[in-house]
Amino acid sequence: MRMLKRASALLLRRGITTYQSRLCRNESLFRVHSSVSEALAENQPVVALESTIITHGMPYPHNLSTAKEVEDIVRSEGATPATVGVIDGVVHVGLSSEELDHLARCKSSMKVSRRDLPYVVSKGLSGGTTVSATMIAAHRAGIPVFVTGGIGGVHRDGENSLDISADLTELGRTPIAVVSAGVKSILDIGRTLEYLETQGVCVATYGASKNFPAFFSPQSGFTSPFHVFNPEEAAKLIASTLSLGLQSGVLLAVPIPEEHAAAGQLIEEAVQAAVTEASVKGITGRDVTPFILQKVNELTEGKSLHANIALIHNNAKVGSQIARALSRQMTERKCRGNTNRHGKHSDSDIVVIGGINVDFIAKGKAETLIFGQTNPGSVCQSFGGVGRNIADSLSRLGRSPLFISATGADSHSEAVLHYCKHMNTSGVARLEEQSTATYCAVITASGELSLGLGDMDIHQQITAQYVSQFEKQLSSATLVCLDGNIPVSTIDYVCSIAKKHNINVWYEPTDSDKACKPFLSDAWKSLSYSSPNLAELRTMNKTLGLPTPEVLPSSVEEVLSVAVALSRPLLEHLHCLVVTLGESGVLVCGEHEAGSVNLQPRKQKKKRKLCAVHYPALTVTADETMNVSGAGDSLAGALMAGILRQRDTDSCVRMGLLAARLSLASPHPIAPTLTFESVDPNKVKTQEWPKPSFMWID
């Protein structure tokens, strides 16, 4: 008999570090203004706005006054403006007055497209975001509607130069509705529309006509495939796009108001003259548009600038009305869904939001695996995902949690949902043109994790907008559990609901990269429980700017000392921390009660005396270990079940340890044999439980 040696192989296996999760440590590079995050959390309309019009589109002070006027128009229509820009290497979604002024005056601002974002961020530079970069930031923040003047497109002679704006490819891969005055008239509009069709972008003219506008002119000589008459129709189109999960955008082309279109012919002649001059002077690429706009303004003696401002104002008005209609429709749909849902869904007192995976576990026959060649072993398929595992564990322990997640509409999805038929999966979205998350773990004969690979991108589709459909269930839940795989904006949304309704939230960080997510804002202050390992606990502290050790200790005494020190500042707001320590066991930190930690949900926040209790790990043989991918989730699920049954702290932790041991001995992340009786310490015969050690927290 021996203990498993590594934290990753016993109770701590959280998932793997994918490209997406590595980005999570850099979530702080995206800063969402409080007014924007609050509006999104309350499902209020928000309109994203780009900033190249500030940095490159107009001279100062017209750029600043126009930006403020546009924001005022958005507010007057009942929506929240979210101007996007990069300041000192941080992407801001929503700018303060001071930040707007900074961008308007800045002489060194860069024009930031998708291509430029990594460089600008890495160098700590500032710049105005183009349509493509604004779409990226808006989508990350969970904003579905974006207003701009006009989008880029295929440049004239683009069939030879291949000069095609990144705006078009971004529309093909980012699900955002872009409201614009069509395509800038300096471009090849026909080829631009053809390219948008190739990218699968739904294009519709706003109004009674299908005529596709050309920025300064309501007619370009081309037609859109579709048109929408009013904000309600436009909102339905956007909602359908988002619901289908197509991962492509919508372009809504809004003609310039008639009273300003009269000058269109004059401006168009000036455009042609400016295009010719740009060609003669050899001006190309990103410098073309600013040059032409400035030249056209000179040739038309300011008429083009007035028309430019007028169409932007009009776009802001129309876009805000569409955003408001979309918000209203989503709220009505959510209310209808809450009314129509029945059975287990309405009875759920626990909500789990997180990932669902198909796992492939490859176990070698040797203790050491040799990379670069075939190793003898066995491969089995199971169904995992941190959120799914916890919901599965709770379901087998007598609870009926509502599980909210997302899968593809593929064979993997069918298989995993069939396996989960004992669970309430009515909150799982099946998305077309998406792949169900898959994970492959390669482990040694003793169960040590050697390598993990996974495709987890679909977890980013568990958006705040989708989860908001279940607000009624969230606001009445006894406990909500969040898996760290879900987007930051979704975590922020759930935490805002928890704060409003005094709901207990358990955060399962899943790995040290994702542990930072709630701590990027004040969202973490709405958490009640969390179950990090020591590395994840260190990340939480580091994200808050608190001192942390560079190297984590190895001796039990030092591990416990560091765990207590790192837990202390978080307990200013969290009710309880369950720190999993691998072979060193579990450390429970929180409010002192009767010689132990009080795990029961607190009724109100008050000044408390804090303590910690250390529970040694159970011993497990190497031969017993079949699967290391669900032990930590089994521990967390059983702890939650014990807490909700109002069991004492010792019983809750022992239930968790027993559930984790069952998981290790099963080919499945959550053992199918798991029942409440199988982990009830009063009924399970095991070796004598080692006495937990108690310590005060200063």
Side-chain angles (χ1 to χ4, degrees):
M1 301 280 286
R2 70 176 180 84
M3 292 184 183
L4 290 179
K5 291 184 178 180
R6 303 191 189 282
S8 62
L10 183 56
L11 302 179
L12 307 182
R13 189 268 167 190
R14 305 293 188 182
I16 67 164
T17 303
T18 63
Y19 175 72
Q20 290 286 346
S21 72
R22 287 199 302 275
L23 285 178
C24 294
R25 73 185 78 174
N26 294 325
E27 287 282 358
S28 57
L29 299 177
F30 285 82
R31 191 167 299 163
V32 182
H33 194 276
S34 58
S35 64
V36 175
S37 59
E38 288 168 10
L40 290 171
E42 295 173 4
N43 200 31
Q44 297 299 310
V46 177
V47 174
L49 303 166
E50 51 119 322
S51 52
T52 49
I53 193 171
I54 302 172
T55 57
H56 293 77
M58 293 180 183
Y60 184 85
H62 293 293
N63 55 353
L64 180 59
S65 60
T66 300
K68 290 185 174 181
E69 287 165 6
V70 169
E71 288 200 342
D72 287 341
I73 290 170
V74 173
R75 292 188 186 97
S76 69
E77 292 293 335
T80 298
T83 302
V84 177
V86 185
I87 298 177
D88 298 332
V90 177
V91 181
H92 289 252
V93 182
L95 298 175
S96 66
S97 295
E98 293 76 15
E99 289 163 343
L100 278 173
D101 188 69
H102 170 76
L103 280 182
R105 292 176 181 271
C106 185
K107 301 295 185 183
S108 58
S109 289
M110 293 190 65
K111 190 175 184 181
V112 185
S113 185
R114 169 183 275 268
R115 179 196 69 176
D116 313 298
L117 271 173
Y119 180 80
V120 172
V121 168
S122 70
K123 292 292 186 179
L125 303 176
S126 298
T129 51
T130 64
V131 169
S132 65
T134 305
M135 289 178 70
I136 292 168
H139 179 54
R140 179 179 285 261
I143 303 170
V145 178
F146 160 39
V147 166
T148 183
I151 66 165
V154 179
H155 283 249
R156 301 186 187 197
D157 196 39
E159 68 273 21
N160 297 315
S161 67
L162 298 182
D163 191 351
I164 301 170
S165 170
D167 297 354
L168 305 187
T169 48
E170 202 62 49
L171 273 161
R173 60 184 167 190
T174 303
I176 290 282
V178 178
V179 179
S180 81
V183 176
K184 295 164 186 172
S185 55
I186 60 176
L187 303 171
D188 187 327
I189 295 176
R191 285 191 170 89
T192 297
L193 289 170
E194 289 288 346
Y195 195 87
L196 285 169
E197 180 183 356
T198 301
Q199 292 293 312
V201 179
C202 182
V203 178
T205 298
Y206 182 86
S209 170
K210 281 190 177 182
N211 288 329
F212 188 81
F215 204 61
F216 291 123
S217 173
Q219 297 185 6
S220 63
F222 297 91
T223 58
S224 295
F226 313 105
H227 67 119
V228 288
F229 281 97
N230 51 46
E232 286 69 29
E233 283 195 5
K236 286 180 181 178
L237 177 63
I238 297 167
S240 297
T241 303
L242 297 175
S243 297
L244 287 169
L246 298 179
Q247 299 309 296
S248 54
V250 175
L251 177 62
L252 294 170
V254 182
I256 189 172
E258 283 297 328
E259 61 268 28
H260 296 282
Q265 185 59 41
L266 173 64
I267 297 171
E268 194 57 39
E269 291 172 1
V271 167
Q272 299 306 321
V275 167
T276 301
E277 185 173 341
S279 177
V280 170
K281 291 184 175 180
I283 298 171
T284 59
R286 64 174 53 211
D287 298 324
V288 171
T289 299
F291 172 82
I292 290 178
L293 290 177
Q294 179 63 34
K295 191 66 182 177
V296 170
N297 186 45
E298 293 174 6
L299 293 173
T300 61
E301 298 179 343
K303 289 185 176 65
S304 68
L305 179 59
H306 292 309
N308 194 2
I309 293 172
L311 69 84
I312 292 167
H313 284 182
N314 186 58
N315 290 352
K317 179 179 179 180
V318 171
S320 301
Q321 292 170 352
I322 293 171
R324 199 172 73 238
L326 178 62
S327 174
R328 185 168 57 250
Q329 289 177 18
M330 296 302 291
T331 300
E332 290 171 355
R333 180 181 299 182
K334 179 177 64 178
C335 292
R336 287 197 302 271
N338 289 340
T339 301
N340 295 333
R341 297 184 197 281
H342 54 83
K344 289 188 292 184
H345 193 130
S346 58
D347 293 337
S348 299
D349 63 340
I350 309 171
V351 179
V352 179
I353 308 172
I356 185 169
N357 306 340
V358 176
D359 291 342
F360 296 92
I361 309 299
K363 184 176 182 180
K365 291 184 177 180
E367 183 55 40
T368 302
L369 300 178
I370 303 173
F371 288 87
Q373 69 179 52
T374 301
N375 292 263
S378 60
V379 180
C380 67
Q381 175 182 303
S382 61
F383 302 107
V386 173
R388 193 218 70 86
N389 289 346
I390 292 174
D392 189 353
S393 175
L394 286 163
S395 298
R396 296 181 188 277
L397 292 171
R399 314 303 299 192
S400 298
L402 167 63
F403 180 42
I404 300 173
S405 188
T407 70
D410 51 23
S411 58
H412 284 325
S413 172
E414 292 175 5
V416 71
L417 291 175
H418 178 74
Y419 180 80
C420 297
K421 59 182 180 291
H422 63 289
M423 297 164 51
N424 179 7
T425 57
S426 58
V428 178
R430 297 189 70 190
L431 305 177
E432 298 290 341
E433 299 187 11
Q434 290 285 318
S435 299
T436 299
T438 51
Y439 169 70
C440 178
V442 180
I443 61 177
T444 64
S446 63
E448 299 288 337
L449 180 65
S450 179
L451 177 69
L453 293 172
D455 173 7
M456 309 289 185
D457 290 349
I458 196 169
H459 293 156
Q460 300 309 305
Q461 303 306 315
I462 310 172
T463 62
Q465 185 176 27
Y466 176 70
V467 173
S468 70
Q469 298 177 52
F470 306 93
E471 186 172 325
K472 181 180 178 181
Q473 287 78 13
L474 290 169
S475 59
S476 61
T478 304
L479 179 68
V480 176
C481 177
L482 301 179
D483 155 0
N485 286 298
I486 65 179
V488 172
S489 56
T490 306
I491 293 172
D492 290 347
Y493 165 73
V494 174
C495 286
S496 71
I497 296 296
K499 181 179 179 181
K500 182 177 179 181
H501 297 281
N502 195 27
I503 305 301
N504 289 286
V505 178
W506 186 302
Y507 181 61
E508 169 50 59
T510 74
D511 66 36
S512 58
D513 286 339
K514 301 167 189 170
C516 67
K517 289 186 175 182
F519 298 87
L520 297 169
S521 66
D522 284 343
W524 74 277
K525 295 178 180 178
S526 298
L527 301 177
S528 298
Y529 302 90
S530 187
S531 44
N533 62 25
L534 197 58
E536 293 160 357
L537 185 59
R538 177 174 64 175
T539 296
M540 293 172 176
N541 278 261
K542 187 178 292 186
T543 306
L544 293 175
L546 300 172
T548 58
E550 288 296 321
V551 180
L552 294 176
S554 54
S555 71
V556 176
E557 292 76 14
E558 290 178 325
V559 164
L560 293 177
S561 177
V562 169
V564 167
L566 293 176
S567 296
R568 179 63 185 88
L570 304 189
L571 291 171
E572 288 294 325
H573 294 280
L574 271 75
H575 175 53
C576 181
L577 280 165
V578 179
V579 186
T580 52
L581 302 171
E583 64 180 358
S584 299
V586 176
L587 182 71
V588 182
C589 306
E591 178 184 8
H592 173 258
E593 183 178 87
S596 186
V597 174
N598 176 20
L599 284 179
Q600 294 305 311
R602 56 182 165 178
K603 299 289 189 295
Q604 59 185 9
K605 292 187 178 182
K606 60 181 181 179
K607 189 171 180 61
R608 309 171 294 161
K609 198 164 188 179
L610 301 176
C611 67
V613 181
H614 173 232
Y615 295 84
L618 295 177
T619 55
V620 184
T621 66
D623 291 339
E624 285 178 320
T625 305
M626 295 185 65
N627 188 343
V628 297
S629 67
D633 304 330
S634 295
L635 171 75
L639 267 168
M640 293 177 207
I643 291 169
L644 293 170
R645 286 206 182 202
Q646 298 186 327
R647 301 293 290 264
D648 62 84
T649 300
D650 285 357
S651 295
C652 289
V653 176
R654 287 167 180 168
M655 283 174 61
L657 293 172
L658 287 168
R661 189 170 69 174
L662 280 175
S663 171
L664 290 166
S666 170
H668 302 279
I670 304 300
T673 57
L674 177 66
T675 62
F676 191 84
E677 288 70 25
S678 69
V679 295
D680 187 343
N682 298 324
K683 297 181 179 180
V684 177
K685 291 183 179 180
T686 184
Q687 73 270 28
E688 186 175 341
W689 289 96
K691 185 178 180 180
S693 57
F694 175 91
M695 62 200 82
W696 291 107
I697 300 179
D698 296 330

mmCIF file of all heavy atoms in Angstrom, residues 211-235:
data_model
loop_
_atom_site.group_PDB
_atom_site.id
_atom_site.type_symbol
_atom_site.label_atom_id
_atom_site.label_comp_id
_atom_site.label_asym_id
_atom_site.label_seq_id
_atom_site.Cartn_x
_atom_site.Cartn_y
_atom_site.Cartn_z
ATOM 1 N N ASN A 211 -31.314 47.878 -51.449
ATOM 2 C CA ASN A 211 -30.142 48.586 -51.969
ATOM 3 C C ASN A 211 -29.044 48.612 -50.921
ATOM 4 O O ASN A 211 -29.263 49.004 -49.771
ATOM 5 C CB ASN A 211 -30.502 50.020 -52.364
ATOM 6 C CG ASN A 211 -31.344 50.068 -53.622
ATOM 7 O OD1 ASN A 211 -31.221 49.216 -54.487
ATOM 8 N ND2 ASN A 211 -32.217 51.067 -53.722
ATOM 9 N N PHE A 212 -27.851 48.191 -51.330
ATOM 10 C CA PHE A 212 -26.731 48.175 -50.386
ATOM 11 C C PHE A 212 -26.065 49.546 -50.393
ATOM 12 O O PHE A 212 -25.632 50.030 -51.441
ATOM 13 C CB PHE A 212 -25.718 47.100 -50.777
ATOM 14 C CG PHE A 212 -24.635 46.904 -49.753
ATOM 15 C CD1 PHE A 212 -24.858 46.137 -48.616
ATOM 16 C CD2 PHE A 212 -23.387 47.499 -49.922
ATOM 17 C CE1 PHE A 212 -23.867 45.964 -47.667
ATOM 18 C CE2 PHE A 212 -22.386 47.332 -48.981
ATOM 19 C CZ PHE A 212 -22.632 46.561 -47.841
ATOM 20 N N PRO A 213 -25.984 50.208 -49.230
ATOM 21 C CA PRO A 213 -25.436 51.574 -49.191
ATOM 22 C C PRO A 213 -23.923 51.608 -49.343
ATOM 23 O O PRO A 213 -23.226 50.635 -49.042
ATOM 24 C CB PRO A 213 -25.866 52.078 -47.803
ATOM 25 C CG PRO A 213 -26.005 50.841 -46.971
ATOM 26 C CD PRO A 213 -26.469 49.770 -47.900
ATOM 27 N N ALA A 214 -23.433 52.743 -49.792
ATOM 28 C CA ALA A 214 -21.997 52.937 -49.998
ATOM 29 C C ALA A 214 -21.512 54.105 -49.155
ATOM 30 O O ALA A 214 -21.038 55.112 -49.667
ATOM 31 C CB ALA A 214 -21.690 53.174 -51.466
ATOM 32 N N PHE A 215 -21.685 53.987 -47.842
ATOM 33 C CA PHE A 215 -21.179 54.971 -46.894
ATOM 34 C C PHE A 215 -21.852 56.331 -47.106
ATOM 35 O O PHE A 215 -22.895 56.599 -46.527
ATOM 36 C CB PHE A 215 -19.653 55.062 -47.007
ATOM 37 C CG PHE A 215 -18.990 55.574 -45.750
ATOM 38 C CD1 PHE A 215 -19.113 54.876 -44.556
ATOM 39 C CD2 PHE A 215 -18.245 56.728 -45.762
ATOM 40 C CE1 PHE A 215 -18.505 55.341 -43.394
ATOM 41 C CE2 PHE A 215 -17.635 57.195 -44.612
ATOM 42 C CZ PHE A 215 -17.764 56.501 -43.422
ATOM 43 N N PHE A 216 -21.310 57.201 -47.959
ATOM 44 C CA PHE A 216 -21.877 58.536 -48.159
ATOM 45 C C PHE A 216 -23.142 58.518 -49.007
ATOM 46 O O PHE A 216 -23.883 59.494 -49.045
ATOM 47 C CB PHE A 216 -20.854 59.458 -48.825
ATOM 48 C CG PHE A 216 -19.698 59.818 -47.932
ATOM 49 C CD1 PHE A 216 -18.396 59.542 -48.321
ATOM 50 C CD2 PHE A 216 -19.905 60.421 -46.700
ATOM 51 C CE1 PHE A 216 -17.320 59.876 -47.502
ATOM 52 C CE2 PHE A 216 -18.842 60.752 -45.877
ATOM 53 C CZ PHE A 216 -17.548 60.472 -46.281
ATOM 54 N N SER A 217 -23.359 57.436 -49.692
ATOM 55 C CA SER A 217 -24.511 57.348 -50.591
ATOM 56 C C SER A 217 -25.413 56.188 -50.177
ATOM 57 O O SER A 217 -24.913 55.125 -49.815
ATOM 58 C CB SER A 217 -24.033 57.134 -52.035
ATOM 59 O OG SER A 217 -25.137 56.889 -52.878
ATOM 60 N N PRO A 218 -26.743 56.375 -50.228
ATOM 61 C CA PRO A 218 -27.649 55.280 -49.849
ATOM 62 C C PRO A 218 -27.690 54.167 -50.885
ATOM 63 O O PRO A 218 -28.263 53.112 -50.632
ATOM 64 C CB PRO A 218 -29.009 55.975 -49.729
ATOM 65 C CG PRO A 218 -28.913 57.170 -50.610
ATOM 66 C CD PRO A 218 -27.489 57.618 -50.540
ATOM 67 N N GLN A 219 -27.090 54.391 -52.051
ATOM 68 C CA GLN A 219 -27.089 53.376 -53.101
ATOM 69 C C GLN A 219 -25.675 53.177 -53.627
ATOM 70 O O GLN A 219 -24.944 54.135 -53.852
ATOM 71 C CB GLN A 219 -28.013 53.778 -54.249
ATOM 72 C CG GLN A 219 -29.475 53.893 -53.837
ATOM 73 C CD GLN A 219 -30.388 54.172 -55.018
ATOM 74 O OE1 GLN A 219 -29.939 54.168 -56.163
ATOM 75 N NE2 GLN A 219 -31.657 54.412 -54.751
ATOM 76 N N SER A 220 -25.329 51.911 -53.828
ATOM 77 C CA SER A 220 -23.998 51.593 -54.351
ATOM 78 C C SER A 220 -24.070 50.965 -55.729
ATOM 79 O O SER A 220 -23.033 50.740 -56.361
ATOM 80 C CB SER A 220 -23.302 50.606 -53.406
ATOM 81 O OG SER A 220 -24.024 49.374 -53.363
ATOM 82 N N GLY A 221 -25.308 50.653 -56.171
ATOM 83 C CA GLY A 221 -25.465 49.919 -57.414
ATOM 84 C C GLY A 221 -25.541 48.421 -57.188
ATOM 85 O O GLY A 221 -25.698 47.651 -58.137
ATOM 86 N N PHE A 222 -25.426 48.010 -55.931
ATOM 87 C CA PHE A 222 -25.514 46.590 -55.582
ATOM 88 C C PHE A 222 -26.642 46.404 -54.570
ATOM 89 O O PHE A 222 -27.069 47.360 -53.907
ATOM 90 C CB PHE A 222 -24.196 46.091 -54.984
ATOM 91 C CG PHE A 222 -23.034 46.176 -55.936
ATOM 92 C CD1 PHE A 222 -22.225 47.318 -55.970
ATOM 93 C CD2 PHE A 222 -22.749 45.135 -56.800
ATOM 94 C CE1 PHE A 222 -21.148 47.409 -56.845
ATOM 95 C CE2 PHE A 222 -21.681 45.215 -57.682
ATOM 96 C CZ PHE A 222 -20.882 46.351 -57.708
ATOM 97 N N THR A 223 -27.123 45.169 -54.450
ATOM 98 C CA THR A 223 -28.200 44.878 -53.501
ATOM 99 C C THR A 223 -27.730 43.869 -52.454
ATOM 100 O O THR A 223 -26.841 43.045 -52.718
ATOM 101 C CB THR A 223 -29.443 44.313 -54.204
ATOM 102 O OG1 THR A 223 -29.076 43.122 -54.912
ATOM 103 C CG2 THR A 223 -30.036 45.328 -55.150
ATOM 104 N N SER A 224 -28.354 43.956 -51.303
ATOM 105 C CA SER A 224 -28.104 42.978 -50.241
ATOM 106 C C SER A 224 -28.958 41.741 -50.482
ATOM 107 O O SER A 224 -30.029 41.824 -51.107
ATOM 108 C CB SER A 224 -28.471 43.568 -48.876
ATOM 109 O OG SER A 224 -27.645 44.650 -48.543
ATOM 110 N N PRO A 225 -28.529 40.577 -49.969
ATOM 111 C CA PRO A 225 -29.355 39.375 -50.101
ATOM 112 C C PRO A 225 -30.688 39.513 -49.360
ATOM 113 O O PRO A 225 -31.690 38.940 -49.779
ATOM 114 C CB PRO A 225 -28.498 38.275 -49.465
ATOM 115 C CG PRO A 225 -27.116 38.822 -49.416
ATOM 116 C CD PRO A 225 -27.249 40.300 -49.303
ATOM 117 N N PHE A 226 -30.680 40.273 -48.250
ATOM 118 C CA PHE A 226 -31.870 40.384 -47.411
ATOM 119 C C PHE A 226 -32.050 41.826 -46.945
ATOM 120 O O PHE A 226 -31.164 42.661 -47.104
ATOM 121 C CB PHE A 226 -31.757 39.466 -46.187
ATOM 122 C CG PHE A 226 -31.305 38.081 -46.506
ATOM 123 C CD1 PHE A 226 -30.004 37.671 -46.215
ATOM 124 C CD2 PHE A 226 -32.158 37.180 -47.127
ATOM 125 C CE1 PHE A 226 -29.569 36.395 -46.521
ATOM 126 C CE2 PHE A 226 -31.741 35.901 -47.436
ATOM 127 C CZ PHE A 226 -30.444 35.505 -47.138
ATOM 128 N N HIS A 227 -33.211 42.109 -46.338
ATOM 129 C CA HIS A 227 -33.387 43.386 -45.660
ATOM 130 C C HIS A 227 -34.326 43.190 -44.477
ATOM 131 O O HIS A 227 -35.142 42.260 -44.447
ATOM 132 C CB HIS A 227 -33.897 44.475 -46.613
ATOM 133 C CG HIS A 227 -35.284 44.262 -47.123
ATOM 134 N ND1 HIS A 227 -36.327 45.143 -46.898
ATOM 135 C CD2 HIS A 227 -35.822 43.255 -47.856
ATOM 136 C CE1 HIS A 227 -37.423 44.691 -47.488
ATOM 137 N NE2 HIS A 227 -37.137 43.543 -48.071
ATOM 138 N N VAL A 228 -34.176 44.048 -43.487
ATOM 139 C CA VAL A 228 -35.023 44.026 -42.293
ATOM 140 C C VAL A 228 -35.645 45.402 -42.146
ATOM 141 O O VAL A 228 -34.980 46.422 -42.345
ATOM 142 C CB VAL A 228 -34.219 43.644 -41.028
ATOM 143 C CG1 VAL A 228 -33.844 42.171 -41.057
ATOM 144 C CG2 VAL A 228 -32.979 44.518 -40.864
ATOM 145 N N PHE A 229 -36.933 45.439 -41.789
ATOM 146 C CA PHE A 229 -37.666 46.704 -41.794
ATOM 147 C C PHE A 229 -37.426 47.555 -40.558
ATOM 148 O O PHE A 229 -37.447 48.783 -40.625
ATOM 149 C CB PHE A 229 -39.176 46.421 -41.913
ATOM 150 C CG PHE A 229 -39.612 46.099 -43.313
ATOM 151 C CD1 PHE A 229 -39.755 44.780 -43.712
ATOM 152 C CD2 PHE A 229 -39.858 47.103 -44.236
ATOM 153 C CE1 PHE A 229 -40.160 44.474 -45.004
ATOM 154 C CE2 PHE A 229 -40.261 46.802 -45.526
ATOM 155 C CZ PHE A 229 -40.405 45.481 -45.914
ATOM 156 N N ASN A 230 -37.221 46.928 -39.395
ATOM 157 C CA ASN A 230 -37.228 47.672 -38.133
ATOM 158 C C ASN A 230 -36.331 46.994 -37.101
ATOM 159 O O ASN A 230 -35.783 45.906 -37.356
ATOM 160 C CB ASN A 230 -38.671 47.778 -37.613
ATOM 161 C CG ASN A 230 -39.364 46.424 -37.585
ATOM 162 O OD1 ASN A 230 -38.797 45.442 -37.119
ATOM 163 N ND2 ASN A 230 -40.598 46.363 -38.087
ATOM 164 N N PRO A 231 -36.171 47.619 -35.924
ATOM 165 C CA PRO A 231 -35.301 47.031 -34.901
ATOM 166 C C PRO A 231 -35.719 45.630 -34.480
ATOM 167 O O PRO A 231 -34.860 44.780 -34.206
ATOM 168 C CB PRO A 231 -35.427 48.021 -33.733
ATOM 169 C CG PRO A 231 -35.779 49.320 -34.368
ATOM 170 C CD PRO A 231 -36.648 48.970 -35.525
ATOM 171 N N GLU A 232 -37.018 45.369 -34.415
ATOM 172 C CA GLU A 232 -37.492 44.053 -33.978
ATOM 173 C C GLU A 232 -37.063 42.964 -34.959
ATOM 174 O O GLU A 232 -36.601 41.891 -34.548
ATOM 175 C CB GLU A 232 -39.019 44.063 -33.824
ATOM 176 C CG GLU A 232 -39.525 44.814 -32.599
ATOM 177 C CD GLU A 232 -39.314 46.325 -32.689
ATOM 178 O OE1 GLU A 232 -39.306 46.861 -33.824
ATOM 179 O OE2 GLU A 232 -39.139 46.954 -31.626
ATOM 180 N N GLU A 233 -37.208 43.240 -36.267
ATOM 181 C CA GLU A 233 -36.798 42.253 -37.264
ATOM 182 C C GLU A 233 -35.286 42.045 -37.226
ATOM 183 O O GLU A 233 -34.794 40.916 -37.349
ATOM 184 C CB GLU A 233 -37.232 42.692 -38.665
ATOM 185 C CG GLU A 233 -38.706 42.482 -38.956
ATOM 186 C CD GLU A 233 -39.011 42.584 -40.445
ATOM 187 O OE1 GLU A 233 -38.060 42.713 -41.246
ATOM 188 O OE2 GLU A 233 -40.198 42.533 -40.807
ATOM 189 N N ALA A 234 -34.553 43.143 -37.071
ATOM 190 C CA ALA A 234 -33.094 43.031 -36.996
ATOM 191 C C ALA A 234 -32.680 42.214 -35.775
ATOM 192 O O ALA A 234 -31.775 41.367 -35.849
ATOM 193 C CB ALA A 234 -32.472 44.429 -36.937
ATOM 194 N N ALA A 235 -33.343 42.449 -34.654
ATOM 195 C CA ALA A 235 -33.017 41.728 -33.421
ATOM 196 C C ALA A 235 -33.306 40.237 -33.566
ATOM 197 O O ALA A 235 -32.538 39.395 -33.093
ATOM 198 C CB ALA A 235 -33.807 42.309 -32.249
#
